[in-house]
Amino acid sequence: MAPSTTTDAPFGRMLTAMVTPFLPDGGVDYDGAARLATHLVDERRHDGLVVNGTTGESPTTSDDEKSTLLRAVIEAVGDRAVIVAGAGTNHTEHTLKLARQAEAAGAHGLLVVTPYYNKPPQEGLIRHFTAVADATGLPNMLYDIPGRAGVPIQNDTLTKLAEHPRIIAVKDAKGDLFGASRVMAETDLVWYSGDDVLNLPWLSVGAAGFVSVVGHVVGTELHEMIDAYRAGEHGRALEIHRRLLPVVTAIMTRTQGAIAVKAALNLLGLPGGGPLRAPLVEATAEFAAHLREDLTIGGVKVPEATIPEVAR
C-alpha cells in the first residue's frame, strides 16, 4: 500500500476517478495521463486516483491500454498517492485477468464494479466479488452503482462479503445512507462517497472520503471539506458544500460525467480535455458556455483566453 493511508481510510481520503486522455488520432495519451495525475496529486491535494474506471472510459480501452496507462500513472505519482485500478467487468474471468494484470503493474488496490447489464442475483455477486478478491493480494473496493449496473449490492450481501480479508471498502453510488450506516455499524467496511451530490451527507454517517468526479477541478476544496468535517468544523464543511453546488450541478447532472469533466479540463487548459471514444461524444459549445459560467460561480478560475475545442 502506498504512503498516506490509515486503517480508517485505507485508500486515502480524497480520490478522483480519473479520465483517460486521448490523442486526436484516438490513441491513449499516456504522457497527458501522467501530467494530469501529477496535477491532481501535487496541485489538487489528492491522496489517490482511480485509473481505468468508467469515468476513464474503461469499456472502450483495451487490456493492453489499461496496463500501459496504469503503469504510466504509477510511475508519475505512485510514490505519493494510492493508485486504485478499475478492474470490474460483467465477465468474471475477464475481471480476474484485469485484476492480476493490475497487480503486476504495481497497483495499490482494485475497484471492482458490480457486473453490469447481465443482472446477476446476489449469490452471483458474492461469487464474482469473492473470486476477484481471491485472485490477487490487493485490497478491494466494491463499487455499488445500481443505476448503471442494473442491480444493487444488497446490505446482507455486503455484510457477507465483508468477511473476506481483502474486501475492505465500498464506493457507494446507491445513496442508501441508512442502509449503509447499518452495514458500517456491523462490519469493518470503509465507505467512500461515489456520488458528488452526496459527499457531505456521506461524511455525516461515517464515510472516510470521496471517490469523486468533480475532484478533477475542485479536489483541493473537497479535501478542505473533509478536513473541516473531521476537525468538527461542520459549518465550514457546509459552506464549502454550498459553494461547490454550481460545480457539482454542472458536471454531475447535465450530461454524462466523462463528457462534462473533459469539457471542464479543456476550459482550464489541463491535460485530459481532448476527445472521447464512441459512443461518447464531445460536449457542445452551448454546454461548454454554461459550464464556464457555473465553474466561475463556484469559484473555479477559468482562463478567459481558453476557447473550448468543441466550440471552434
Side-chain angles (χ1 to χ4, degrees):
M1 182 61 68
S4 81
T5 61
T6 59
T7 302
D8 65 334
F11 296 97
R13 297 193 184 279
M14 179 58 222
L15 299 89
T16 277
M18 200 178 84
V19 300
T20 298
F22 294 116
L23 298 166
D25 66 1
V28 176
D29 182 0
Y30 300 110
D31 179 66
R35 288 186 287 116
L36 177 59
T38 300
H39 171 79
L40 293 174
V41 172
D42 294 346
E43 304 296 330
R44 293 293 177 185
R45 294 193 64 195
H46 282 64
D47 302 317
L49 298 170
V50 172
V51 180
N52 293 323
T54 46
T55 302
E57 299 177 70
S58 59
T60 61
T61 57
S62 71
D63 292 358
D64 287 344
E65 286 174 328
K66 287 179 173 66
S67 180
T68 304
L69 177 64
L70 184 58
R71 291 175 187 274
V73 172
I74 291 170
E75 182 178 355
V77 299
D79 61 336
R80 55 194 186 277
V82 181
I83 307 303
V84 182
T89 73
N90 64 346
H91 180 194
T92 300
E93 288 302 317
H94 189 199
T95 304
L96 299 180
K97 176 185 175 183
L98 291 178
R100 295 178 181 123
Q101 175 179 286
E103 183 177 44
H108 303 124
L110 300 174
L111 178 69
V112 188
V113 70
T114 312
Y116 40 83
Y117 186 78
N118 42 24
K119 291 188 175 181
Q122 294 299 302
E123 179 59 29
L125 296 185
I126 291 171
R127 295 183 188 185
H128 176 84
F129 289 127
T130 300
V132 179
D134 285 341
T136 78
L138 297 176
N140 285 218
M141 179 189 295
L142 307 184
Y143 185 10
D144 191 5
I145 181 166
R148 292 198 182 203
V151 295
I153 310 175
Q154 293 179 0
N155 294 333
D156 289 346
T157 301
L158 288 166
T159 299
K160 185 169 183 178
L161 289 168
E163 298 172 3
H164 196 292
R166 285 186 292 280
I167 296 177
I168 64 172
V170 177
K171 175 188 175 184
D172 194 296
K174 182 167 59 183
D176 179 8
L177 277 76
F178 181 71
S181 297
R182 294 183 62 183
V183 176
M184 280 186 267
E186 296 169 0
T187 73
D188 292 329
L189 286 174
V190 177
W191 236 256
Y192 288 83
S193 171
D195 184 353
D196 283 302
V197 173
L198 295 176
N199 282 340
L200 182 56
W202 273 121
L203 290 179
S204 74
V205 296
F210 312 146
V211 179
S212 177
V213 175
V214 301
H216 282 90
V217 296
V218 290
T220 301
E221 292 82 353
L222 290 177
H223 208 306
E224 290 173 355
M225 182 197 295
I226 295 169
D227 289 345
Y229 193 89
R230 286 175 51 78
E233 299 173 2
H234 298 163
R236 168 67 174 155
L238 180 59
E239 185 276 326
I240 296 170
H241 166 77
R242 288 176 174 170
R243 175 158 47 87
L244 296 181
L245 287 176
V247 180
V248 176
T249 299
I251 293 177
M252 299 306 299
T253 69
R254 291 185 179 146
T255 189
Q256 199 271 354
I259 295 173
V261 167
K262 286 195 169 184
L265 292 171
N266 193 37
L267 284 171
L268 297 173
L270 295 172
L276 297 95
R277 281 187 175 172
L280 298 184
V281 297
E282 286 74 23
T284 65
E286 181 181 7
F287 177 86
H290 288 304
L291 178 62
R292 172 188 286 276
E293 294 175 2
D294 289 328
L295 292 177
T296 301
I297 294 170
V300 178
K301 296 181 180 179
V302 183
E304 288 295 330
T306 302
I307 302 175
E309 293 289 341
V310 293
R312 291 178 181 173

